[in-house]
């Protein structure tokens, strides 16, 4: 998903106006709201979080450590994950890494949904969408996290739901037969 | 919004359900002060409100009464916690509440309680296998779901989590729980929600599983364990039986096995105190005075009526005070002993007190019973706990005894090292 679309969606999730979001002449993303323009993906998300009163925004800035952690994930999402997800080799490594990470964690930072989850979620959205059910089965932890996010109405925003139900049946059967 | 008072002892995992739910809903749930487990919940006043006499119990601000921890948690919760608007999700929440009560709690209690020393060890117990099967079910479920019902925390998570607390605290050491990665992930997520952290304080995941301590509880199990222990038990019984009783009995044939022997002994389990002279002291009258009147009346009454010819006063001190940790466990130890001594009640009275606080406490008590010898040897049923105490017969005429009786009957003062009185339990 492109940066402009991601920012617009996250603004909606956080319940704040997206304002005018576009790439400027140097291909840097900017957001203008109430005559105030900020540029850069992570900076814009930071401003959106400041404006928002939502639970996700609150959790993303709960402590300094959390905020710093979230910021790192956002940078990682935009600088590495989004471009890497389009590369055949890197993308599979990314899926493996995230799957491993979600074996022991419900969320990327702390114990709640934060902007880190949203940024990564949108960065790999098209990649996950492209997976066949059999491929998804290799990434059951990642699938659980992804499905959890997409099922939340404020994140789905009426959009299409990627199908994970068939792999759940596989997973269940596998789990019960060991 | 729900407002009211919750009756419970501290750190009761069942009470946590309601307390956590209240953190989410904003319900005003106050924990009753001065609650004494085994006393408050057995008082006439409490039983009128909550006939089962069990805790947790909840009294609403409007004077309505609820018992059963799941029901209380449901009442103080909010719509989201109850599963939201969808009947299927609500039913799923209910499903997990039933699963927790019917499957998890029994398995957890029978695995952990013997290790805590508050329940005898069961031979051939399937608790461990049962718990493992439960964890596998949860592990499969939580592979694909972040929470148990829907995409947010519900009562299902709160109740199942609370029911697993003892397992994760006492027995699921890292290498055991490694098998259940999805449950671990979910458990830690729930544990770290601020609404949960506000209630479940000072909780750490098990590092090394508790093991049954045979040294400390050798006698404790020996007398309650399976068939192989019965022989010893029967032997001990033989040795300890008072002479007169023995004569009256037919000597059991050598070939009889322990079980048969136990059966044979059964019908004779009439009151062993019957063999002793009644004297002039009447326990019922004294107990009535003690229950209904102030100690300034009942203690003098005791001394006025006490018959030192036929009754004796004893001081019993718990031998393993160093190993007492949580106050509530110690109290369970005392009430457990009282329950096992049930048949002794008619001809005995005791006040057993806990001094100190968590991880620094002692148990001791003053006992009175009919006869001049240690009463516990009169019946094999009474020999489960007494070895864990050192017993000293007190001289009824001494000043020292007067002081001890005064102190223990009125629940005042300190133990011999100066620990303050914490809780008392009365055997009557
Ligand atoms: N099913 C009940 C069980 C309550 C229960 O067993 N409470 C125990 C303490 S954890 C109790 O009050 N026991 C006192 C007694 O049995 O006399 C619940 O979940 O509330």
């Amino acid at each position: 998903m492109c940066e402009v679309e991601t920012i617009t969606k996250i603004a909606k999730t956080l319940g704040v106006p997206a304002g005018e979001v576009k790439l400027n002449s140097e291909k840097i993303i900017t957001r203008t709201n109430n005559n105030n323009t900020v540029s850069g993906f992570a900076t814009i998300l930071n401003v959106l979080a400041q404006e928002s009163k939502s639970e996700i925004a609150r959790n993303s800035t709960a402590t300094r450590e959390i905020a710093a952690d979230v910021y790192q994930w956002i940078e990682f999402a935009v600088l590495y994950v989004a471009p890497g997800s389009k590369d055949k080799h890197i993308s599979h490594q990314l899926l493996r890494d995230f799957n491993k990470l979600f074996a022991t964690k419900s969320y990327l930072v702390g114990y709640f949904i934060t902007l880190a989850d949203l940024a990564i979620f949108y960065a790999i959205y098209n990649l996950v969408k492209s997976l066949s059910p059999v491929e998804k089965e290799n990434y059951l932890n990642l699938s659980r996290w992804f499905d959890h996010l997409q099922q939340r109405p404020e994140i789905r925003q009426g959009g299409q739901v990627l199908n994970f139900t068939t792999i759940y049946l596989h997973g269940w059967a596998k789990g019960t037969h060991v | 919004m729900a407002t009211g008072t919750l009756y419970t002892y501290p750190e009761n995992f069942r009470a946590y359900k309601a307390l956590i739910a209240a953190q989410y809903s904003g319900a005003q749930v106050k924990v009753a002060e001065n609650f004494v487990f085994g006393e408050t919940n057995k008082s006439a006043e409490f039983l009128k409100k909550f006939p089962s006499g069990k805790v947790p119990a909840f009294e609403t601000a409007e004077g309505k009464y609820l018992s059963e921890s799941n029901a209380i948690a449901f009442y103080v919760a909010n719509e989201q916690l109850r599963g939201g608007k969808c009947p299927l999700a609500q039913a799923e929440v209910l499903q997990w509440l039933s699963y927790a009560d019917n499957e998890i709690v029994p398995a957890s209690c029978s695995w952990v309680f013997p290790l805590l020393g508050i329940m005898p060890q069961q031979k051939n117990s399937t608790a461990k296998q049962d718990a493992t099967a439960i964890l596998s079910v949860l592990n499969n479920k939580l592979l694909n779901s972040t929470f148990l019902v829907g995409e947010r925390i519900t009562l299902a998570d709160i109740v199942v989590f609370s029911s697993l607390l003892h397992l994760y605290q006492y027995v699921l050491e890292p290498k055991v729980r490694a098998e259940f990665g999805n449950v671990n992930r979910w458990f830690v997520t729930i544990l770290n929600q601020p609404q949960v952290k506000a209630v479940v304080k000072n909780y750490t995941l098990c590092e090394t599983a508790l093991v049954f301590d045979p040294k400390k509880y050798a006698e404790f199990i020996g007398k309650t364990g399976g068939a192989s222990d019965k022989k010893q038990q029967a032997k001990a019984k033989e040795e300890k039986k008072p002479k007169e009783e023995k004569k009256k009995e037919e000597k059991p044939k050598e070939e009889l096995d322990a079980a048969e022997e136990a059966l044979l002994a059964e019908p004779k389990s009439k009151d062993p105190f019957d063999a002793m002279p009644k004297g002039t002291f009447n326990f019922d009258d004294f107990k009535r005075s003690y229950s209904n009147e102030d100690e300034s009346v009942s203690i003098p009454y005791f001394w006025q009526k006490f018959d030192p010819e036929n009754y004796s006063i004893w001081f019993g001190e718990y031998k393993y005070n160093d190993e007492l940790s949580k106050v509530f466990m110690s109290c369970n130890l005392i009430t457990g002993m009282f329950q096992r001594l049930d048949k002794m009640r008619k001809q005995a009275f005791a006040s057993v007190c806990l001094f100190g606080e968590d991880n620094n406490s002692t148990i001791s008590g003053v006992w009175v019973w009919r006869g001049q010898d240690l009463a516990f040897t009169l019946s094999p049923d009474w020999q489960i706990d007494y070895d864990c105490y050192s017993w000293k017969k007190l001289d009824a005429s001494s000043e020292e005894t007067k002081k001890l009786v005064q102190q223990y009957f009125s629940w005042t003062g300190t133990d011999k090292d100066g620990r303050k009185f914490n809780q008392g339990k009365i055997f009557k």
Side-chain angles (χ1 to χ4, degrees):
Chain A
M1 209 168 279
C2 79
E3 292 184 20
V4 173
E5 196 184 351
T6 302
I7 293 283
T8 314
K9 290 225 178 218
I10 294 181
K12 202 162 168 200
T13 302
L14 299 181
V16 294
E20 194 192 344
V21 184
K22 60 175 193 213
L23 297 181
N24 70 11
S25 52
E26 286 139 49
K27 296 263 187 268
I28 291 176
I29 190 163
T30 63
R31 181 234 189 193
T32 308
N33 190 42
N34 294 332
N35 294 324
N36 185 11
T37 300
V38 285
S39 59
F41 189 83
T43 315
I44 297 173
L45 285 192
N46 194 25
V47 171
L48 296 180
Q50 303 293 327
E51 290 172 13
S52 167
K53 291 188 170 59
S54 71
E55 198 185 351
I56 295 177
R58 265 203 326 271
N59 287 337
S60 304
T61 52
T63 67
R64 264 206 204 170
E65 287 76 19
I66 289 177
D69 235 4
V70 168
Y71 187 82
Q72 280 186 5
W73 278 110
I74 293 172
E75 293 273 82
F76 183 65
V78 69
L79 295 177
Y80 187 77
V81 179
S85 73
K86 294 181 190 114
D87 176 284
K88 198 165 180 282
H89 298 288
I90 299 179
S91 66
H92 280 97
Q93 189 56 44
L94 279 172
L95 293 172
R96 273 197 294 274
D97 289 349
F98 280 119
N99 190 59
K100 197 164 159 217
L101 208 144
F102 288 122
T104 55
K105 288 163 78 74
S106 297
Y107 305 107
L108 288 173
V109 179
Y111 303 95
F112 342 84
I113 302 180
T114 64
L115 286 171
D117 296 294
L118 296 185
I120 297 292
F121 176 83
Y122 289 116
I124 61 170
Y125 188 89
N126 286 333
L127 172 60
V128 173
K129 193 174 169 183
S130 73
L131 298 177
S132 70
V134 178
E135 284 175 304
K136 283 179 200 154
E137 218 180 290
N138 294 322
Y139 311 112
L140 288 172
N141 299 312
L142 173 63
S143 295
R144 178 195 68 240
W145 168 85
F146 194 95
D147 194 34
H148 173 57
L149 292 184
Q150 73 161 356
Q151 297 289 352
R152 296 277 289 239
E154 72 272 32
I155 297 174
R156 187 192 329 166
Q157 300 171 12
Q160 187 203 346
V161 182
L162 302 188
N163 186 12
F164 287 93
T165 34
T166 46
I167 65 154
Y168 286 177
L169 294 176
H170 288 266
W172 188 260
K174 220 163 90 184
T176 34
H177 287 245
V178 278
Chain B
M1 202 177 299
T3 304
T5 305
L6 187 70
Y7 295 89
T8 180
Y9 55 84
E11 299 184 11
N12 179 352
F13 76 90
R14 290 189 175 94
Y16 283 168
K17 303 173 189 177
L19 294 170
I20 295 170
Q23 289 285 329
Y24 280 92
S25 69
Q28 304 289 315
V29 176
K30 197 177 108 230
V31 175
E33 282 167 25
N34 306 324
F35 177 87
V36 181
F37 185 62
E39 289 291 319
T40 314
N41 57 318
K42 299 296 161 196
S43 69
E45 191 197 352
F46 188 93
L47 292 171
K48 218 190 276 166
K49 301 174 184 174
F50 308 104
S52 79
K54 294 198 175 190
V55 292
F58 188 68
E59 178 169 1
T60 74
E62 298 80 30
K64 303 277 188 216
Y65 305 109
L66 270 179
S67 58
E68 287 297 318
S69 55
N70 290 346
I72 300 167
F74 183 90
Y75 179 69
V76 304
N78 56 23
E79 187 183 75
Q80 160 55 34
L81 289 182
R82 294 181 194 125
K85 291 200 193 323
C86 162
L88 182 66
Q90 293 167 2
E92 286 179 317
V93 168
L94 206 51
Q95 167 198 302
W96 287 111
L97 267 50
S98 299
Y99 187 72
D101 265 19
N102 297 327
E103 312 278 335
I104 305 177
V105 172
S108 168
C109 292
S110 35
W111 187 358
V112 177
F113 283 5
L115 305 180
L116 292 176
I118 56 183
M119 211 173 90
Q121 179 90 313
Q122 231 71 61
K123 279 267 166 70
N124 307 321
S125 161
T126 58
K128 225 167 165 166
Q129 291 92 301
D130 295 347
T132 306
I134 288 162
L135 288 165
S136 299
V137 168
L138 290 171
N139 202 48
N140 289 335
K141 164 71 187 166
L142 291 165
L143 171 63
N144 301 320
S145 316
T146 298
F147 299 121
L148 289 173
V149 179
E151 306 303 331
R152 287 173 177 277
I153 289 176
T154 63
L155 275 181
D157 299 294
I158 296 172
V159 168
V160 172
F161 164 83
S162 301
S163 307
L164 290 171
L165 278 167
H166 282 158
L167 289 174
Y168 268 96
Q169 185 172 10
Y170 296 118
V171 290
L172 297 178
E173 58 189 358
K175 72 171 192 296
V176 178
R177 65 178 184 258
E179 226 183 296
F180 310 109
N182 304 315
V183 190
N184 300 341
R185 187 264 312 155
W186 164 87
F187 188 86
V188 170
T189 299
I190 306 293
L191 181 64
N192 282 286
Q193 299 300 307
Q195 295 88 340
V196 176
K197 282 207 279 194
V199 173
V200 184
K201 301 197 180 105
N202 311 321
Y203 183 88
T204 41
L205 295 188
C206 177
E207 269 307 318
T208 339
L210 280 188
V211 285
F212 194 71
D213 182 349
K215 201 175 75 206
K216 180 174 168 196
Y217 291 111
E219 294 87 359
F220 187 80
I221 357 159
K223 308 303 190 318
T224 52
S228 66
D229 294 312
K230 277 244 174 73
K231 280 221 171 78
Q232 276 180 311
Q233 184 184 335
K235 214 172 123 216
K237 190 176 63 187
E238 271 303 307
E239 285 165 5
K240 286 178 179 165
K241 206 163 288 170
K243 282 183 204 119
E244 302 132 273
E245 271 241 84
K246 209 167 173 179
K247 258 185 262 162
K248 275 186 256 164
E249 253 177 67
E250 251 189 33
K251 240 194 159 170
K253 282 187 229 108
E254 291 295 317
E255 307 85 74
L256 285 183
D257 84 350
E260 284 173 291
E261 199 177 325
L263 266 177
L264 213 128
E266 212 82 323
K268 294 188 201 78
S269 75
K270 52 171 184 151
D271 193 341
F273 283 115
D274 285 353
M276 296 171 197
K278 277 199 179 62
T280 57
F281 183 61
N282 183 318
F283 264 115
D284 286 340
D285 288 348
F286 164 65
K287 287 175 187 174
R288 208 168 299 125
S289 164
Y290 186 81
S291 304
N292 300 332
E293 283 160 316
D294 196 78
E295 287 90 45
S296 63
V297 177
S298 60
I299 296 175
Y301 180 89
F302 173 81
W303 287 116
Q304 187 194 333
K305 299 284 179 184
F306 184 71
D307 166 12
E309 288 284 301
N310 298 298
Y311 292 79
S312 57
I313 308 175
W314 294 73
F315 189 63
E317 269 184 298
Y318 192 61
K319 285 187 200 164
Y320 309 105
N321 286 322
D322 289 354
E323 292 170 39
L324 295 174
S325 56
K326 297 279 183 218
V327 163
F328 83 89
M329 288 186 216
S330 312
C331 289
N332 278 337
L333 208 65
I334 305 173
T335 43
M337 167 168 69
F338 285 0
Q339 269 163 24
R340 289 181 282 273
L341 294 176
D342 194 47
K343 291 214 188 83
M344 207 176 125
R345 264 174 224 276
K346 277 187 112 99
Q347 299 306 334
F349 173 89
S351 175
V352 179
C353 300
L354 179 83
F355 298 90
E357 64 232 26
D358 280 355
N359 301 317
N360 178 22
S361 57
T362 65
I363 293 174
S364 51
V366 168
W367 295 69
V368 184
W369 55 68
R370 189 193 287 183
Q372 294 299 336
D373 297 321
L374 203 54
F376 306 106
T377 52
L378 292 173
S379 162
D381 295 343
W382 300 344
Q383 292 169 20
I384 292 168
D385 303 88
Y386 90 103
D387 272 352
C388 297
Y389 290 77
S390 59
W391 296 97
K392 193 170 112 204
K393 193 173 177 179
L394 300 177
D395 171 6
S397 62
S398 84
E399 260 326 294
E400 217 131 295
T401 302
K402 294 246 151 68
K403 262 200 230 145
L404 273 179
V405 165
Q406 176 70 35
Q407 183 199 334
Y408 279 81
F409 284 18
S410 64
W411 290 359
T412 50
T414 64
D415 70 3
K416 57 179 187 255
D417 304 316
R419 290 182 194 81
K420 283 221 288 275
F421 171 82
N422 182 312
Q423 287 196 33
K425 306 268 170 209
I426 297 293
F427 182 70
K428 63 179 185 210

